[in-house]
Amino acid sequence: MTKDVNLAIADVEFAFRQLEFAIKLMCYCEQNHLDRSKFDTDVTLLLETENVGFPAGNFKTLESIIFASQIQVGVSFGVSAILLDAAYEATGVRKNLKSRAPEDDLRILVYMVRNAFAHNMAAPRWQLHGKDFQRIFSLPLEDTIAVVDFSSYNEKIFSYEHIGGFAQWFKIKTAVIRSIAL
């Protein structure tokens, strides 16, 4: 493998580690394991050039903690999509919109997820304009071909279930790394 491929894979692995951390943190928060009295206090960072402070009160309710952790999962998920797409770009794998081969469908799906998050990380929305995007995709995952139907998602709010959920997203990562590491 070339240096660019190794760097791209390292970036993807780092992004997915951050996604894993965000998901674990969200679960921790949803199970009310976070001590809000210790977490939601005044914090001041003493920096070399200028200090920055965060007041208490922004995370005093369980709902505010859970919502913030869910947003963090979304941000981490979006970054993972952006870096998967960047890995394809770094290794010269182009989008072939006319192809219906599973490897090309995988490439296009990653691009579509990246696009949903790139336009609004806090509220990702599908941008599936044209028949090349509004269709059924076949994804080469592990020892099977996963089928994902995007025929009716255009302009809809992104949902993890649209792509098969978190477990399938991690399988997509594995398939992308396998395809670019060849």
Side-chain angles (χ1 to χ4, degrees), residues 1-10 87 89-92 180-182:
M1 282 189 287
T2 68
K3 181 179 176 185
D4 289 342
V5 174
N6 287 333
L7 288 174
I9 290 172
E89 291 290 327
T91 56
I180 66 172
L182 296 177

Side-chain angles (χ1 to χ4, degrees), residues 3-94:
K3 181 179 176 185
D4 289 342
V5 174
N6 287 333
L7 288 174
I9 290 172
D11 286 348
V12 167
E13 293 292 354
F14 178 76
F16 274 82
R17 184 62 49 90
Q18 294 304 320
L19 177 57
E20 175 188 344
F21 180 82
I23 291 169
K24 286 181 176 184
L25 178 62
M26 178 185 69
C27 292
Y28 188 83
C29 293
E30 289 175 345
Q31 294 171 13
N32 198 19
H33 292 310
L34 189 68
D35 184 342
R36 290 188 309 278
S37 67
K38 291 181 180 175
F39 182 77
D40 191 29
T41 60
D42 290 326
V43 172
T44 300
L45 300 177
L46 304 175
L47 305 171
E48 286 185 29
T49 57
E50 183 178 358
N51 298 338
V52 63
F54 303 104
N58 288 330
F59 303 103
K60 63 183 172 187
T61 66
L62 179 60
E63 293 76 23
S64 65
I65 294 280
I66 290 171
F67 183 68
S69 69
Q70 291 169 340
I71 293 295
Q72 189 58 45
V73 169
V75 170
S76 296
F77 192 95
V79 169
S80 72
I82 290 167
L83 287 173
L84 279 175
D85 188 66
Y88 273 130
E89 291 290 327
T91 56
V93 178
R94 303 277 181 230

Side-chain angles (χ1 to χ4, degrees), residues 94-164:
R94 303 277 181 230
K95 295 174 288 296
N96 185 350
L97 298 178
K98 301 304 178 196
S99 172
R100 297 302 183 254
E103 295 77 19
D104 290 321
D105 276 1
L106 182 65
R107 172 66 180 102
I108 295 167
L109 175 88
V110 166
Y111 170 75
M112 291 172 11
V113 173
R114 171 233 171 265
N115 225 22
F117 280 86
H119 292 287
N120 187 339
M121 193 71 71
R125 184 177 295 274
W126 292 110
Q127 303 293 322
L128 310 175
H129 304 292
K131 63 182 169 124
D132 293 326
F133 300 109
Q134 296 177 23
R135 62 182 178 83
I136 294 173
F137 285 77
S138 300
L139 309 174
L141 305 180
E142 296 175 352
D143 295 330
T144 187
I145 299 291
V147 176
V148 183
D149 187 352
F150 282 94
S151 58
S152 63
Y153 293 152
N154 188 38
E155 299 296 329
K156 290 191 177 176
I157 297 292
F158 174 88
S159 170
Y160 302 112
E161 287 72 34
H162 293 159
I163 59 157

